[in-house]
Amino acid sequence: MPEATPMSIDLSALPPATRYKLLTAVVLPRPIAWVTTISRAGVVNAAPFSFFNVFGQDPALVVLGLEHHADGGMKDTTRNIRETGEFVINLVSEAMLEPMVRSAAKVGPEVSEPERLGLKLAPSAHVAPPRLADAPAALECRRVVGLSFSAEREILVGEAVGLACRDGLIDPDTWYVDWGGDYPVARLFADRYARLVEVDRHKIPPAI
């Protein structure tokens, strides 16, 4: 049989919606940042983002892919971060998956998702926005810079200045992190999410 020819797609020739569909379906799994912010009026907002990751350790940087409204107007999370310079990235446990998805519903800036969904909040130690009390871990962050690439897309770089976690997750003497098999959930594509069930260990070989 003849060898199959790999498909080659010119992403630049596709409409943005199709590019989004393809990219989110092949770059996976992706960690989920359930971001809590607070407005100048004191309203606590919670919104999920799956264009997220850590970006280094010195300084401890995180990156978030923020999406604006089609007319270029800022969504609640972006506006709150612009105005206050602070935010919290909450990791999402399996038990928090359903409320996390529900928090993505469109509501007005005067509506607090944690209040609407009955989510417990806890004070942060280093920033003003509270964290989600049931999150297994939360990164307390300050805005460093935002890079706009279109009317709808901005990359936010923040510095993680604090880490809060559930009891027993981190050993304060060794800094060993033990998830006990209860890892955060990850985003796949469309309405699909993933649980980390089987974890293999593969050590990097020594230099040759």
Side-chain angles (χ1 to χ4, degrees):
M1 295 181 62
E3 185 176 343
T5 302
M7 176 184 290
S8 179
I9 300 171
D10 183 358
L11 290 174
S12 63
L14 298 176
T18 304
R19 289 201 296 266
Y20 176 89
K21 179 180 180 179
L22 293 176
L23 291 172
T24 57
V26 298
V27 181
L28 47 82
R30 300 188 307 282
I32 301 168
W34 200 359
V35 179
T36 47
T37 57
I38 189 167
S39 71
R40 284 179 174 172
V43 178
V44 177
N45 175 266
F49 297 83
S50 64
F51 289 164
F52 150 68
N53 221 312
V54 293
F55 194 58
Q57 79 286 356
D58 189 19
L61 298 180
V62 297
V63 289
L64 280 178
L66 302 177
E67 184 179 16
H68 303 321
H69 294 294
D71 62 2
M74 289 182 289
K75 294 186 176 182
D76 295 342
T77 297
T78 304
R79 183 182 60 257
N80 291 346
I81 294 174
R82 288 271 189 95
E83 292 180 349
T84 69
E86 298 181 334
F87 59 101
V88 178
I89 294 175
N90 302 273
L91 281 299
V92 183
S93 66
E94 185 176 355
M96 302 174 77
L97 177 58
E98 286 304 320
M100 182 275 293
V101 173
R102 291 171 61 195
S103 74
K106 295 180 180 179
V107 297
E110 74 284 353
V111 177
S112 169
E113 287 86 357
E115 183 176 339
R116 184 174 72 90
L117 298 173
L119 302 172
K120 293 184 293 184
L121 299 174
S124 297
H126 303 277
V127 297
R131 60 185 174 86
L132 297 174
D134 291 331
L139 295 169
E140 301 171 11
C141 306
R142 295 195 181 106
R143 182 181 187 271
V144 174
V145 67
L147 306 173
S148 293
F149 291 91
S150 69
E152 296 184 37
R153 184 60 65 183
E154 173 183 337
I155 293 177
L156 171 71
V157 180
E159 181 179 2
V161 296
L163 170 61
C165 62
R166 69 188 181 203
D167 184 48
L169 180 66
I170 298 175
D171 185 323
D173 295 321
T174 64
W175 302 119
Y176 179 74
V177 181
D178 183 7
W179 285 97
D182 186 19
Y183 294 100
V185 293
R187 180 73 186 274
L188 295 180
F189 57 93
D191 59 353
R192 294 168 175 83
Y193 296 83
R195 292 182 297 115
L196 294 176
V197 179
E198 296 184 10
V199 178
D200 293 331
R201 302 181 67 173
H202 299 274
K203 292 185 177 181
I204 299 176
I208 298 175

